[in-house]
Amino acid sequence: MYRVLQARGRGLLVLAAAMTLTLSACGGNSSTPTPSPTIAPTPTDDATVTNTPTAATNAGGLSGAGPALANLTSYKFTMTLVGATYPDTLSSLVTDQAAPVAISGTMVLKPAAAAEIVFAPPAPAPALHLTSVDGFDYTSLDVTQGYSKNAQATNDPSASPAATAPPTTSDSVSPAHEFALLTASLKGYDKVGTDNKNGVDADHYQGSDTALAEFGSIAGVKNATSWAADIWVANTDGYPVSVAVVAKAKDGTTVYQISFDLTKVNDPANKVTAPENVTGA
Protein backbone atom coordinates (compact mmCIF):
# COMPACT_ATOMS: atom_id res chain seq x y z
CA MET A 1 0.00 0.00 0.00
CA TYR A 2 3.02 2.26 0.61
CA ARG A 3 4.00 2.02 -3.06
CA VAL A 4 0.39 2.73 -4.09
CA LEU A 5 0.40 5.98 -2.18
CA GLN A 6 3.73 7.03 -3.67
CA ALA A 7 2.79 6.27 -7.29
CA ARG A 8 -0.07 8.78 -7.50
CA GLY A 9 -0.39 8.75 -11.33
CA ARG A 10 -0.93 5.00 -11.47
CA GLY A 11 -2.92 4.58 -8.24
CA LEU A 12 -6.05 3.11 -9.71
CA LEU A 13 -4.24 0.53 -11.87
CA VAL A 14 -2.03 -0.69 -9.01
CA LEU A 15 -4.98 -0.89 -6.62
CA ALA A 16 -6.96 -2.99 -9.04
CA ALA A 17 -4.04 -5.39 -9.53
CA ALA A 18 -3.58 -5.78 -5.77
CA MET A 19 -7.25 -6.66 -5.29
CA THR A 20 -7.07 -9.26 -8.06
CA LEU A 21 -4.08 -11.03 -6.39
CA THR A 22 -5.81 -11.03 -3.02
CA LEU A 23 -8.95 -12.66 -4.40
CA SER A 24 -6.89 -15.32 -6.18
CA ALA A 25 -5.08 -16.25 -2.96
CA CYS A 26 -8.36 -16.65 -1.06
CA GLY A 27 -9.69 -19.04 -3.72
CA GLY A 28 -7.26 -21.77 -2.54
CA ASN A 29 -6.95 -23.56 -5.95
CA SER A 30 -5.40 -21.13 -8.37
CA SER A 31 -2.30 -20.11 -6.33
CA THR A 32 -0.37 -20.95 -3.18
CA PRO A 33 0.24 -18.17 -0.62
CA THR A 34 3.84 -17.38 0.19
CA PRO A 35 4.58 -18.57 3.75
CA SER A 36 5.52 -15.90 6.26
CA PRO A 37 9.12 -16.07 7.52
CA THR A 38 9.59 -17.76 10.92
CA ILE A 39 10.99 -15.48 13.59
CA ALA A 40 12.94 -17.22 16.37
CA PRO A 41 11.80 -16.24 19.87
CA THR A 42 14.14 -13.97 21.77
CA PRO A 43 15.70 -15.74 24.80
CA THR A 44 14.65 -14.38 28.15
CA ASP A 45 16.37 -14.46 31.52
CA ASP A 46 13.75 -16.81 32.98
CA ALA A 47 14.09 -19.48 30.33
CA THR A 48 13.72 -22.96 31.79
CA VAL A 49 16.87 -25.11 31.83
CA THR A 50 16.04 -28.81 31.78
CA ASN A 51 19.45 -30.24 32.77
CA THR A 52 19.73 -28.70 36.23
CA PRO A 53 20.06 -31.06 39.26
CA THR A 54 16.75 -32.40 40.48
CA ALA A 55 17.61 -31.59 44.08
CA ALA A 56 18.01 -27.83 44.09
CA THR A 57 18.57 -27.77 47.83
CA ASN A 58 21.69 -29.90 47.36
CA ALA A 59 23.31 -27.60 44.81
CA GLY A 60 26.65 -27.88 46.64
CA GLY A 61 26.83 -31.61 45.99
CA LEU A 62 29.71 -33.44 47.59
CA SER A 63 31.91 -30.35 47.86
CA GLY A 64 29.28 -28.60 49.99
CA ALA A 65 28.67 -31.54 52.34
CA GLY A 66 31.24 -30.46 54.94
CA PRO A 67 29.86 -26.93 55.38
CA ALA A 68 26.33 -28.34 55.38
CA LEU A 69 27.27 -30.70 58.22
CA ALA A 70 28.54 -27.75 60.26
CA ASN A 71 25.22 -25.94 59.70
CA LEU A 72 23.11 -28.64 61.33
CA THR A 73 21.59 -28.06 64.74
CA SER A 74 22.24 -31.56 66.12
CA TYR A 75 22.45 -35.25 65.24
CA LYS A 76 23.16 -38.73 66.56
CA PHE A 77 25.88 -40.89 65.03
CA THR A 78 27.68 -44.22 65.02
CA MET A 79 31.23 -44.46 63.69
CA THR A 80 34.02 -46.99 63.19
CA LEU A 81 37.68 -46.01 62.86
CA VAL A 82 40.73 -48.10 62.01
CA GLY A 83 44.26 -46.70 61.81
CA ALA A 84 43.16 -43.27 63.00
CA THR A 85 45.09 -40.75 65.04
CA TYR A 86 43.56 -39.85 68.40
CA PRO A 87 44.16 -37.03 70.91
CA ASP A 88 46.38 -37.82 73.87
CA THR A 89 43.41 -38.28 76.19
CA LEU A 90 42.20 -41.20 74.05
CA SER A 91 45.29 -42.68 72.41
CA SER A 92 46.33 -44.53 75.58
CA LEU A 93 43.13 -46.55 75.37
CA VAL A 94 43.92 -47.87 71.88
CA THR A 95 46.58 -50.53 72.24
CA ASP A 96 46.19 -51.91 68.71
CA GLN A 97 46.02 -49.37 65.89
CA ALA A 98 44.82 -52.07 63.50
CA ALA A 99 41.78 -52.86 65.64
CA PRO A 100 38.46 -51.10 65.01
CA VAL A 101 37.31 -48.46 67.47
CA ALA A 102 33.56 -47.93 67.82
CA ILE A 103 32.34 -44.41 68.61
CA SER A 104 28.76 -43.31 69.09
CA GLY A 105 26.89 -40.42 70.57
CA THR A 106 25.04 -37.15 70.19
CA MET A 107 26.46 -33.94 68.76
CA VAL A 108 24.74 -30.60 69.45
CA LEU A 109 26.04 -27.66 67.41
CA LYS A 110 23.47 -24.93 68.11
CA PRO A 111 22.67 -22.83 70.01
CA ALA A 112 25.68 -23.95 72.11
CA ALA A 113 28.11 -26.74 71.26
CA ALA A 114 27.85 -29.91 73.33
CA ALA A 115 28.50 -33.62 72.89
CA GLU A 116 27.93 -36.95 74.56
CA ILE A 117 30.18 -39.73 73.23
CA VAL A 118 31.10 -43.31 74.00
CA PHE A 119 34.63 -44.18 72.77
CA ALA A 120 34.93 -47.98 72.73
CA PRO A 121 38.19 -49.70 71.74
CA PRO A 122 38.16 -53.50 71.43
CA ALA A 123 37.93 -55.46 74.69
CA PRO A 124 39.46 -55.76 77.17
CA ALA A 125 40.09 -52.01 76.97
CA PRO A 126 37.34 -50.09 78.79
CA ALA A 127 35.00 -47.74 77.00
CA LEU A 128 35.37 -44.05 77.76
CA HIS A 129 32.19 -42.06 78.39
CA LEU A 130 32.68 -38.41 77.52
CA THR A 131 30.31 -35.49 77.95
CA SER A 132 31.33 -32.02 76.75
CA VAL A 133 29.03 -29.19 77.82
CA ASP A 134 29.22 -25.64 79.17
CA GLY A 135 33.01 -25.43 78.82
CA PHE A 136 33.79 -28.66 80.70
CA ASP A 137 34.65 -32.25 79.79
CA TYR A 138 33.21 -34.99 81.99
CA THR A 139 34.93 -38.36 81.55
CA SER A 140 34.47 -41.82 83.02
CA LEU A 141 35.74 -45.34 82.40
CA ASP A 142 33.06 -46.67 84.73
CA VAL A 143 29.93 -44.58 85.00
CA THR A 144 28.91 -46.40 88.17
CA GLN A 145 31.93 -44.83 89.84
CA GLY A 146 31.14 -41.33 88.60
CA TYR A 147 32.72 -38.78 86.25
CA SER A 148 35.75 -36.57 86.59
CA LYS A 149 35.40 -32.93 85.55
CA ASN A 150 37.96 -30.85 83.67
CA ALA A 151 37.77 -27.40 82.11
CA GLN A 152 38.14 -27.39 78.35
CA ALA A 153 41.07 -25.56 76.81
CA THR A 154 40.27 -22.03 75.72
CA ASN A 155 41.84 -19.53 73.36
CA ASP A 156 44.43 -17.00 74.49
CA PRO A 157 42.82 -13.52 74.27
CA SER A 158 46.25 -11.86 74.43
CA ALA A 159 47.55 -13.70 71.38
CA SER A 160 48.18 -11.73 68.19
CA PRO A 161 46.63 -12.54 65.84
CA ALA A 162 43.74 -13.70 67.95
CA ALA A 163 43.90 -17.43 68.55
CA THR A 164 40.93 -19.72 68.12
CA ALA A 165 39.91 -22.20 70.78
CA PRO A 166 41.55 -25.61 70.29
CA PRO A 167 39.22 -28.49 69.48
CA THR A 168 37.73 -30.35 72.41
CA THR A 169 38.25 -34.09 72.81
CA SER A 170 34.78 -34.73 71.45
CA ASP A 171 35.49 -32.53 68.41
CA SER A 172 38.58 -34.63 67.63
CA VAL A 173 36.56 -37.82 67.19
CA SER A 174 33.41 -36.35 65.66
CA PRO A 175 32.02 -37.13 62.18
CA ALA A 176 32.84 -33.55 61.18
CA HIS A 177 36.52 -34.07 62.02
CA GLU A 178 36.75 -37.39 60.18
CA PHE A 179 34.87 -36.09 57.14
CA ALA A 180 37.26 -33.16 56.90
CA LEU A 181 40.12 -35.65 56.45
CA LEU A 182 38.50 -36.89 53.24
CA THR A 183 38.16 -33.51 51.54
CA ALA A 184 41.58 -33.71 49.86
CA SER A 185 40.27 -36.37 47.45
CA LEU A 186 36.61 -35.37 47.04
CA LYS A 187 37.32 -34.17 43.52
CA GLY A 188 37.77 -37.79 42.45
CA TYR A 189 34.28 -38.93 43.43
CA ASP A 190 31.48 -39.59 40.94
CA LYS A 191 27.74 -39.62 41.53
CA VAL A 192 26.40 -43.11 40.82
CA GLY A 193 22.75 -42.81 41.84
CA THR A 194 20.22 -41.76 44.45
CA ASP A 195 19.25 -44.01 47.37
CA ASN A 196 17.23 -43.89 50.56
CA LYS A 197 19.89 -43.89 53.26
CA ASN A 198 19.16 -43.75 56.98
CA GLY A 199 15.61 -42.71 56.19
CA VAL A 200 16.40 -39.81 53.83
CA ASP A 201 16.85 -39.51 50.07
CA ALA A 202 20.53 -39.09 49.31
CA ASP A 203 22.88 -38.83 46.33
CA HIS A 204 25.35 -41.72 46.24
CA TYR A 205 28.99 -40.98 45.37
CA GLN A 206 31.87 -43.40 44.88
CA GLY A 207 35.57 -42.62 44.93
CA SER A 208 37.79 -43.35 41.95
CA ASP A 209 40.95 -45.46 42.27
CA THR A 210 43.08 -42.40 41.54
CA ALA A 211 41.42 -40.29 44.22
CA LEU A 212 41.67 -43.03 46.81
CA ALA A 213 45.32 -43.69 46.05
CA GLU A 214 45.98 -39.97 46.48
CA PHE A 215 44.09 -39.92 49.77
CA GLY A 216 46.00 -42.97 51.01
CA SER A 217 49.28 -41.26 50.27
CA ILE A 218 48.24 -38.07 52.07
CA ALA A 219 46.92 -40.02 55.08
CA GLY A 220 50.04 -42.18 55.26
CA VAL A 221 48.14 -45.44 54.88
CA LYS A 222 50.52 -48.36 54.41
CA ASN A 223 50.03 -51.86 52.97
CA ALA A 224 46.72 -50.97 51.32
CA THR A 225 46.14 -52.95 48.13
CA SER A 226 42.45 -52.19 47.63
CA TRP A 227 40.11 -49.32 48.46
CA ALA A 228 36.37 -48.80 48.51
CA ALA A 229 34.68 -45.47 49.19
CA ASP A 230 30.98 -44.61 49.29
CA ILE A 231 29.46 -41.34 50.47
CA TRP A 232 25.75 -40.50 50.62
CA VAL A 233 24.77 -36.81 50.70
CA ALA A 234 21.24 -35.79 51.72
CA ASN A 235 19.16 -34.28 48.93
CA THR A 236 17.75 -31.85 51.46
CA ASP A 237 20.25 -29.86 53.55
CA GLY A 238 23.21 -31.44 51.72
CA TYR A 239 24.99 -33.05 54.71
CA PRO A 240 26.81 -36.43 54.60
CA VAL A 241 24.25 -39.01 55.69
CA SER A 242 26.61 -41.97 55.52
CA VAL A 243 30.31 -42.47 54.79
CA ALA A 244 32.33 -45.64 54.29
CA VAL A 245 35.98 -45.40 53.23
CA VAL A 246 37.85 -48.68 53.71
CA ALA A 247 41.32 -49.85 52.72
CA LYS A 248 42.34 -53.50 52.86
CA ALA A 249 45.67 -55.28 52.74
CA LYS A 250 46.48 -58.17 50.42
CA ASP A 251 45.35 -60.70 53.04
CA GLY A 252 41.95 -58.99 53.34
CA THR A 253 42.50 -57.33 56.70
CA THR A 254 41.34 -53.74 57.13
CA VAL A 255 44.26 -51.34 57.46
CA TYR A 256 42.28 -48.10 57.37
CA GLN A 257 38.64 -47.16 57.85
CA ILE A 258 36.46 -44.12 58.31
CA SER A 259 32.78 -44.96 58.37
CA PHE A 260 29.86 -43.24 60.04
CA ASP A 261 26.09 -42.88 59.87
CA LEU A 262 24.00 -39.92 60.98
CA THR A 263 20.47 -40.24 62.34
CA LYS A 264 17.99 -38.04 64.23
CA VAL A 265 19.27 -35.00 62.36
CA ASN A 266 18.03 -31.71 63.88
CA ASP A 267 15.77 -33.65 66.23
CA PRO A 268 14.67 -31.38 69.14
CA ALA A 269 15.04 -34.40 71.43
CA ASN A 270 18.84 -34.34 70.96
CA LYS A 271 19.92 -32.96 74.32
CA VAL A 272 23.21 -33.07 76.23
CA THR A 273 23.37 -32.33 79.94
CA ALA A 274 26.15 -32.58 82.48
CA PRO A 275 26.19 -35.83 84.48
CA GLU A 276 25.11 -35.65 88.08
CA ASN A 277 27.50 -38.16 89.64
CA VAL A 278 30.68 -36.08 89.40
CA THR A 279 33.61 -36.88 91.70
CA GLY A 280 35.87 -34.18 93.07
CA ALA A 281 33.57 -31.41 91.87
Side-chain angles (χ1 to χ4, degrees):
M1 294 296 295
Y2 180 75
R3 288 193 298 268
V4 171
L5 293 174
Q6 293 295 318
R8 298 176 180 274
R10 297 181 294 155
L12 293 176
L13 292 176
V14 174
L15 180 60
M19 292 179 63
T20 301
L21 290 173
T22 302
L23 292 174
S24 297
C26 293
N29 295 325
S30 58
S31 64
T32 302
T34 303
S36 301
T38 301
I39 300 175
T42 303
T44 59
D45 292 338
D46 59 351
T48 301
V49 180
T50 58
N51 61 346
T52 52
T54 55
T57 54
N58 188 17
L62 192 55
S63 63
L69 178 58
N71 287 331
L72 297 180
T73 300
S74 64
Y75 56 86
K76 291 185 178 294
F77 74 95
T78 57
M79 180 162 60
T80 300
L81 301 178
V82 177
T85 300
Y86 306 102
D88 293 340
T89 52
L90 300 176
S91 59
S92 61
L93 299 175
V94 184
T95 57
D96 183 3
Q97 289 292 321
V101 175
I103 307 171
S104 60
T106 301
M107 300 295 297
V108 175
L109 287 72
K110 300 173 184 177
E116 187 172 7
I117 290 175
V118 177
F119 182 87
L128 176 70
H129 295 255
L130 168 66
T131 299
S132 298
V133 63
D134 296 333
F136 292 92
D137 284 336
Y138 301 83
T139 57
S140 177
L141 295 174
D142 184 351
V143 294
T144 64
Q145 300 299 316
Y147 288 78
S148 61
K149 177 182 179 182
N150 295 282
Q152 297 171 350
T154 58
N155 63 323
D156 181 1
S158 64
S160 181
T164 58
T168 65
T169 302
S170 56
D171 291 334
S172 300
V173 289
S174 68
H177 175 268
E178 301 306 325
F179 190 74
L181 297 178
L182 304 176
T183 56
S185 62
L186 289 182
K187 61 183 180 296
Y189 281 69
D190 298 313
K191 181 180 174 181
V192 296
T194 300
D195 308 317
N196 185 282
K197 195 70 174 177
N198 297 341
V200 300
D201 291 333
D203 291 337
H204 183 188
Y205 295 85
Q206 288 184 332
S208 67
D209 292 340
T210 301
L212 295 171
E214 179 183 349
F215 170 74
S217 176
I218 295 172
V221 180
K222 299 179 180 179
N223 303 321
T225 58
S226 65
W227 286 84
D230 295 89
I231 298 176
W232 286 265
V233 177
N235 289 161
T236 302
D237 296 330
Y239 62 89
V241 177
S242 181
V243 170
V245 177
V246 181
K248 292 183 178 293
K250 187 176 181 179
D251 62 0
T253 58
T254 299
V255 294
Y256 189 85
Q257 179 174 347
I258 295 177
S259 59
F260 65 77
D261 287 275
L262 303 190
T263 57
K264 303 291 184 180
V265 174
N266 295 339
D267 190 329
N270 295 336
K271 303 291 184 182
V272 175
T273 58
E276 295 181 356
N277 53 335
V278 178
T279 60

